[in-house]
Amino acid sequence: MTERAVHPPGESSALHATARAFEELRDIVEVPSSRAEIPDLFVATDQLQRLSALITDVSDEVLFRIATNTAEPDPGPVILAYTSALVPAGRAMEGLVASTEQLGFLRRFAHAIPGAPELEEGREAAFLVVQDRLETVRSELGDAARGLHCFADRLDGTPPRTVAALSRSARTTDTAARTTLQHRSAAPTRLAYTPAPRHGR
């Protein structure tokens, strides 16, 4: 039987701490239920900076372990934990950027302009995009946190079957949440105020 690599307690603690950082950011991202609750642009850009800094921290953890190049214990599992978290973190960043763009539009055209009734449609479309993207942001940040916790539990010695069961449960919950969101809010593929289709949409 191959001996299981024993990782220092600090490694699992660091993974749990990073997971909590993602959870803390998720908890401050609020999804508006109406246009009156749309977040301030300052709040949105602050969240962007926080997530950007968190992604940088995760990348630094990977770089540090690659540069250290220790053989015992094998840093591979820890590196995989951090790099795996970058995937949902990147999707969360994409969602935050998209919602911030719409918030910029809403700030610019906060008041009705005489002779331009189409702006009202544009504002409503922008709100739906913000709502949808922020739902995605919360979901992806939660995925990043759960993944890191699972990897940390493996390092802690939690039985693999227990970790796998927790992971499956998390994925089932996330799938149900996304399905509910799709039925509740179908964001337009092109905003009413966009003069031409955007590349890549």
Side-chain angles (χ1 to χ4, degrees), residues 177-198:
R178 291 192 183 101
T179 301
T180 300
L181 171 62
Q182 288 172 358
H183 282 84
R184 193 202 71 185
S185 172
T189 56
R190 183 170 72 88
L191 302 186
Y193 59 82
T194 304
R198 298 185 180 187

Side-chain angles (χ1 to χ4, degrees), residues 11 21 42 62 92 120 135 146 153:
E11 291 285 35
F42 176 85
V62 175
E120 178 58 27
E135 285 277 11
R146 279 186 291 274
D153 288 340

Side-chain angles (χ1 to χ4, degrees), residues 24-47:
E24 290 169 3
L25 181 54
R26 177 200 60 198
D27 291 343
I28 67 172
V29 174
E30 298 182 354
V31 180
S33 59
S34 68
R35 282 167 57 180
E37 297 177 359
I38 288 177
D40 184 83
L41 190 56
F42 176 85
V43 171
T45 51
D46 178 66
Q47 292 170 356

Side-chain angles (χ1 to χ4, degrees), residues 18-114:
T18 305
R20 287 192 295 273
F22 277 107
E23 290 169 338
E24 290 169 3
L25 181 54
R26 177 200 60 198
D27 291 343
I28 67 172
V29 174
E30 298 182 354
V31 180
S33 59
S34 68
R35 282 167 57 180
E37 297 177 359
I38 288 177
D40 184 83
L41 190 56
F42 176 85
V43 171
T45 51
D46 178 66
Q47 292 170 356
L48 271 175
Q49 287 189 330
R50 287 172 182 247
L51 180 54
S52 178
L54 187 50
I55 290 174
T56 298
D57 288 344
V58 171
S59 300
D60 286 345
E61 294 288 353
V62 175
L63 289 172
F64 170 75
R65 282 159 183 80
I66 292 174
T68 303
N69 195 29
T70 58
E72 292 294 337
D74 176 17
V78 180
I79 291 174
L80 178 60
Y82 286 117
T83 54
S84 296
L86 288 173
V87 176
R91 289 193 290 256
M93 175 63 80
E94 181 182 8
L96 269 181
V97 169
S99 65
T100 302
E101 176 191 13
Q102 306 312 316
L103 291 173
F105 169 82
L106 289 169
R107 185 178 186 278
R108 171 65 180 83
F109 299 103
H111 305 291
I113 298 176

